[in-house]
Amino acid sequence: MSYDADVIVVGGGLAGLSAAIQANREGLSTLVLERGEYSGAKNVSGGRMYVHALKELVNIEDAPFEKPITKETYVISCGTRRVTFSFSDPESRNSYSVLRAKFDPWLAKKAEEEGVIISYETLVSGAMRDNGITLRTNRGDLRAKIVIEADGVTAGVSRYLGLRNLSPDSLMLGVKEVIKPDVISDEGEAKVLVGFVDGLLGGAFSYVNKDTISLGATVKVNSLQSERVLARDLVELVREKLGIEGDILEYSAHLIPYYGYDKLPPVYAPNLLITGDAAGLLINDGFVIRGMDLAIGSGMIAGRAAKKILDQGDPTKTQVYEEMLNDSFVMKDMIIARRAFSLMNNERLFNAYPEILCSVLSRMFTVSGNRQRLLNVLIEEIKKRDLTLTETVKDLMEVL
Amino acid sequence: MDLLKRLSLNKYRVDRESHIKVNLDICRTCKEKPCIKVCPAGTYERSGDVIEVHYERCLECGAALVACPFDAISFKFPEGGVSFRYG
């Protein structure tokens, strides 16, 4: 039985295109299968990319970014009260707002210019291991020595091979609108909202684009299962909360991997390298939420690893990919974020702490002739929620 | 804006057959029907004891697939389906 390519990459998003560009540069015959009409047609992201990995991959001078993110705003909300914290750095060019249906076709074109073959509207509906991996597609069966899985958070190939089940407590649902406001701010502001709907574990975001705003809610799937708030109402609730008005241009949704380093699914199997969202690669350390740079980074490493594996003569022995990932920023940063990540997964962060913060500030800004020290107010409010100061400080230390 | 109006902003190429299948025997025994709560597109609607699937609305996020506690939903990505212009 012959092979259709050395490497078949499933998914023509950021991870898949990065993998294919790299594998192609290594001289491997490489084929990308993309189920959308174009790269990005099926992608939904919050809309912010940290660009260090992309710069390693390609020249970004003509990249279709929206705006450089130069202002970070945190909004901690409890009922009608809110605390806002902003940091502004007008010179920052470290991350940009992006719209994936514009960005991914640009990267796909770069890949195609280098000779990568992308087969669009090709849907993978099954996978079998047989001295390589055979993929069942709407264009017939395709067989490769190595498959690089870059098919996103639902990890179809892994599921078809029986390597993965999806669990609601390791996933968030993101629901998003792209809005054209009457007036758009010059500044590329990223806003994160913590604790926006009672009972739901999650938050919300908005990013300023060139002439639109990306706005969304992100909520743990298991908290949606048990609460009364419907997913279809989330983004409109956020819009009201943030007071954003304008024409809605698009409504979309996507699952977000929320595994953390300690619960990551395996990133390799015989003949299979798993990248990006499919590998559960996402970092939330309280300061930044990153997925796209990890997708690009892991994709590039998978492309290089494929060459090493094939040179060693046995495409079932794929562990070297994990070793290379562990040596790279991808896993090093995942490990640094592991403690903060477990806190980000904790109910206290979404419910108790916003309330404590709002209550403490509310009491400190109220003068009633019965003034207490800030520390005493803080301890009282912490105790009211069955927590201790030690637990609170310990949680804070996790992030630090 | 109401849900159907929001969905109508998207470009869809609807497949002839549904890419979502529900095992109605299992579905009938499920009281909570979390698929209704987690689907951002209103793809799942209660119809008596069971679920009616409006697969043409699907945003292909996969939430229903993970949220069904009884594995009663079989979900495959469609050949056509939704295309995003912004993403």
Side-chain angles (χ1 to χ4, degrees):
Chain A
M1 225 161 124
S2 64
Y3 296 98
D4 296 288
D6 293 328
V7 176
I8 294 181
V9 180
V10 180
L14 295 176
L17 292 169
S18 308
I21 288 172
Q22 207 64 48
N24 183 59
R25 285 179 190 165
E26 299 284 351
L28 304 177
S29 69
T30 308
L31 175 63
V32 180
L33 309 181
E34 164 56 44
R35 73 186 171 96
E37 281 178 69
Y38 45 87
S39 275
K42 298 288 185 182
N43 287 93
V44 175
S45 77
R48 174 188 194 160
M49 183 193 288
Y50 292 89
V51 292
H52 65 106
L54 182 68
K55 278 186 195 164
E56 296 286 318
L57 181 69
V58 290
N59 181 348
I60 65 164
E61 262 169 34
D62 62 338
F65 296 131
E66 294 294 311
K67 275 201 167 90
I69 300 293
T70 53
K71 185 176 182 184
E72 315 274 356
T73 297
Y74 266 76
V75 182
I76 298 160
S77 158
C78 26
T80 53
R81 299 175 297 189
R82 64 174 57 177
V83 180
T84 306
F85 166 77
S86 272
F87 168 72
S88 187
D89 176 4
E91 306 304 320
S92 177
R93 295 295 179 269
N94 152 69
S95 75
Y96 293 81
S97 51
V98 292
L99 292 166
R100 295 287 300 277
K102 292 183 185 174
F103 187 86
D104 290 26
W106 170 83
L107 189 59
K109 191 163 168 268
K110 291 244 172 202
E112 285 168 332
E113 281 167 5
E114 290 192 24
V116 171
I117 296 166
I118 306 173
S119 173
Y120 296 100
E121 295 187 69
T122 300
L123 178 69
V124 172
S125 57
M128 295 143 287
R129 188 174 290 112
D130 59 351
N131 209 14
I133 291 178
T134 297
L135 299 167
R136 185 134 291 163
T137 84
N138 54 343
R139 297 170 187 268
D141 288 354
L142 292 166
R143 188 156 170 269
K145 293 173 193 163
I146 290 179
V147 166
I148 297 180
E149 177 172 21
D151 53 0
V153 59
T154 53
V157 174
S158 281
R159 285 188 292 116
Y160 296 136
L161 291 170
L163 302 167
R164 180 92 59 91
N165 287 315
L166 298 171
S167 153
D169 56 5
S170 301
L171 297 162
M172 286 188 129
L173 175 67
V175 194
K176 181 182 172 189
E177 282 176 358
V178 176
I179 292 167
K180 189 167 179 63
D182 295 337
V183 187
I184 192 97
S185 142
D186 281 341
E187 182 147 44
E189 182 180 16
K191 216 180 243 183
V192 175
L193 186 67
V194 183
F196 75 97
V197 179
D198 291 343
L200 288 180
L201 304 185
F205 62 86
S206 75
Y207 299 120
V208 175
N209 303 318
K210 269 187 184 143
D211 52 12
T212 58
I213 291 175
S214 295
L215 167 74
T218 52
V219 178
K220 293 282 295 286
V221 174
N222 55 352
S223 84
L224 265 176
Q225 281 170 307
S226 55
E227 292 298 325
R228 291 183 183 281
V229 185
L230 295 172
R232 60 168 85 171
D233 297 330
L234 284 173
V235 74
E236 290 291 282
L237 287 170
V238 171
R239 207 149 83 89
E240 271 174 35
K241 202 103 180 169
L242 289 176
I244 295 175
E245 286 183 10
D247 295 335
I248 301 172
L249 302 180
E250 184 164 275
Y251 175 63
S252 58
H254 205 266
L255 287 178
I256 302 162
Y258 224 71
Y259 293 89
Y261 180 77
D262 294 316
K263 287 186 182 165
L264 271 186
V267 295
Y268 71 96
N271 309 87
L272 183 71
L273 315 179
I274 310 170
T275 62
D277 272 13
L281 299 173
L282 179 120
I283 290 174
N284 181 359
D285 64 8
F287 290 94
V288 295
I289 301 168
R290 301 162 45 185
M292 292 192 243
D293 64 320
L294 304 174
I296 293 168
S298 62
M300 288 168 71
I301 293 164
R304 284 191 213 116
K307 168 73 173 164
K308 265 197 181 176
I309 294 160
L310 291 175
D311 281 352
Q312 283 165 8
D314 183 352
T316 64
K317 296 211 163 71
T318 48
Q319 192 177 348
V320 66
Y321 169 58
E322 186 179 57
E323 290 161 11
M324 289 166 75
L325 269 186
N326 289 343
D327 265 348
S328 75
F329 81 88
V330 175
M331 283 305 174
K332 284 180 182 166
D333 287 8
M334 288 284 300
I335 289 170
I336 287 172
R338 72 200 288 186
R339 289 212 173 88
F341 195 93
S342 64
L343 177 62
M344 298 301 144
N345 248 338
N346 191 314
E347 203 160 332
R348 292 198 290 279
L349 187 85
F350 299 107
N351 294 324
Y353 290 143
E355 279 179 37
I356 290 170
L357 187 60
C358 288
S359 299
V360 167
L361 289 175
S362 177
R363 284 175 62 181
M364 292 314 289
F365 286 119
T366 303
V367 174
S368 63
N370 181 24
R371 195 93 178 139
Q372 289 183 55
R373 283 184 62 201
L374 174 61
L375 184 64
N376 293 340
V377 171
L378 180 65
I379 291 170
E380 256 183 51
E381 292 297 331
I382 287 170
K383 269 190 189 157
K384 269 189 203 168
R385 282 143 188 107
D386 290 329
L387 290 165
T388 65
L389 189 60
T390 323
E391 277 175 298
T392 308
V393 172
K394 222 178 115 198
D395 278 347
L396 182 66
M397 292 302 289
E398 301 282 286
V399 180
L400 300 176
Chain B
M1 193 189 277
D2 80 31
L3 178 70
L4 290 182
K5 261 192 197 158
R6 270 182 277 153
L7 290 170
S8 73
L9 300 167
N10 296 331
K11 187 182 156 198
Y12 284 98
R13 209 179 76 226
V14 180
D15 286 4
R16 279 199 189 159
E17 269 189 46
S18 175
H19 61 285
I20 303 166
K21 299 228 164 29
V22 176
N23 182 331
L24 294 181
D25 291 336
I26 301 175
C27 177
R28 197 166 276 123
T29 65
C30 171
K31 282 196 183 139
E32 289 286 320
K33 305 209 185 322
C35 53
I36 299 176
K37 293 185 195 171
V38 304
C39 174
T43 302
Y44 303 88
E45 271 181 350
R46 192 181 276 274
S47 167
D49 288 346
V50 295
I51 290 291
E52 197 177 329
V53 180
H54 301 279
Y55 74 97
E56 69 286 353
R57 296 181 191 172
C58 179
L59 292 167
E60 300 166 30
C61 68
L65 171 72
V66 295
C68 176
F70 307 109
D71 288 332
I73 296 175
S74 93
F75 179 102
K76 294 213 164 184
F77 286 112
E79 282 198 28
V82 70
S83 282
F84 297 115
R85 287 170 299 135
Y86 296 90

